[in-house]
Amino acid sequence: EAYYLGRIMEFVKDQNGAITQAKIAWYFRPKDILGKKKSFHPRLLLATMHYDINPISSIRGKCIIKHSSLIDDLEAYKQREDTFYYNKLYDRYSQRLYDVIPIEHIRNLSDTLIQAFYPYKFIVVDEGKASDFVEKRECTICSNWVDNEVLLDCLHCHRKFHMYCIDPPLTKKPPKGYGWVCPEC
């Protein structure tokens, strides 16, 4: 555990054109950020947006770091030597954790928005909000995706509806804190 773990972003040339340094994006161990009171698996890491330029001579070796959702058998993966995993990002400036979601797992955005994200491999969302993007949010009546602006979520059955698909249609969303119930419930 004594080693720092990072991803080489690029190699950096010195004034003579020789590659002597590397730009490294760092991963942190949760216990170093979140405290030692809670126990974490020694292979679990937190991604960061922090990077430094370091001499190549400081690199010990190669390891594999993957997002946990891209690993088929996590328990077997953890048993392999020099393998690590992550599912959160730590921002050292705001001192907050964020959930990291692979683009191909996003189910809860319009196709246009998903296509806009495709140059990237992941999106970062507030901690605990990943399920809002991963779980498909479709209208029970028309089966199309439901945008938050027109979403009605039944308090009892938790089915989703467009405001304009229910009969009679609603012209505006119920106020926050109001528990809406679908016509069937």
Side-chain angles (χ1 to χ4, degrees):
E1 267 194 45
Y3 298 106
Y4 291 107
L5 297 166
R7 177 178 59 87
I8 298 174
M9 297 170 66
E10 67 178 295
F11 291 102
V12 181
K13 294 180 180 179
D14 64 13
Q15 309 137 317
N16 302 326
I19 296 175
T20 58
Q21 297 181 319
K23 183 191 273 187
I24 299 175
W26 296 108
Y27 291 87
F28 294 149
R29 289 185 172 79
K31 71 177 189 173
D32 296 336
I33 303 300
L34 306 174
K36 299 180 191 230
K37 293 179 182 175
K38 189 175 178 190
S39 99
F40 300 95
H41 193 278
R43 302 294 177 114
L44 177 63
L45 301 174
L46 298 172
T48 69
M49 293 184 283
H50 175 70
Y51 68 88
D52 288 321
I53 296 178
N54 294 276
I56 290 178
S57 60
S58 67
I59 298 173
R60 175 195 76 91
K62 182 180 173 181
C63 66
I64 298 170
I65 302 173
K66 290 184 177 182
H67 189 278
S68 61
S69 69
L70 303 177
I71 302 168
D72 292 329
D73 184 353
L74 186 59
E75 291 308 313
Y77 179 82
K78 288 190 239 180
Q79 301 304 318
R80 294 172 39 201
E81 192 171 319
D82 292 330
T83 57
F84 301 88
Y85 66 101
Y86 70 97
N87 57 16
K88 296 193 180 296
L89 177 131
Y90 175 73
D91 180 0
R92 68 184 186 145
Y93 296 106
S94 67
Q95 297 186 352
R96 292 180 58 196
L97 285 175
Y98 297 91
D99 291 333
V100 178
I101 307 169
I103 294 295
E104 62 267 15
H105 291 185
I106 296 175
R107 302 285 177 266
N108 214 15
L109 292 176
S110 68
D111 292 338
T112 306
L113 282 174
I114 290 174
Q115 290 302 318
F117 287 128
Y118 264 109
Y120 306 100
K121 292 182 180 180
F122 301 96
I123 65 167
V124 177
V125 299
D126 286 334
E127 186 177 28
K129 299 290 185 183
S131 63
D132 291 350
F133 293 87
V134 175
E135 296 169 3
K136 189 75 171 165
R137 190 171 60 211
E138 293 178 342
C139 176
T140 302
I141 295 171
C142 71
S143 299
N144 289 328
W145 177 75
V146 184
D147 187 0
N148 262 346
E149 294 177 14
V150 294
L151 168 70
L152 294 172
D153 189 358
C154 180
L155 182 65
H156 295 297
C157 67
H158 301 289
R159 292 183 302 164
K160 317 280 189 260
F161 299 87
H162 288 111
M163 290 174 16
Y164 48 80
C165 283
I166 61 169
D167 189 25
L170 292 180
T171 56
K172 64 180 189 173
K173 284 181 80 165
K176 281 202 181 273
Y178 174 79
W180 179 81
V181 179
C182 72
E184 286 184 27
C185 291

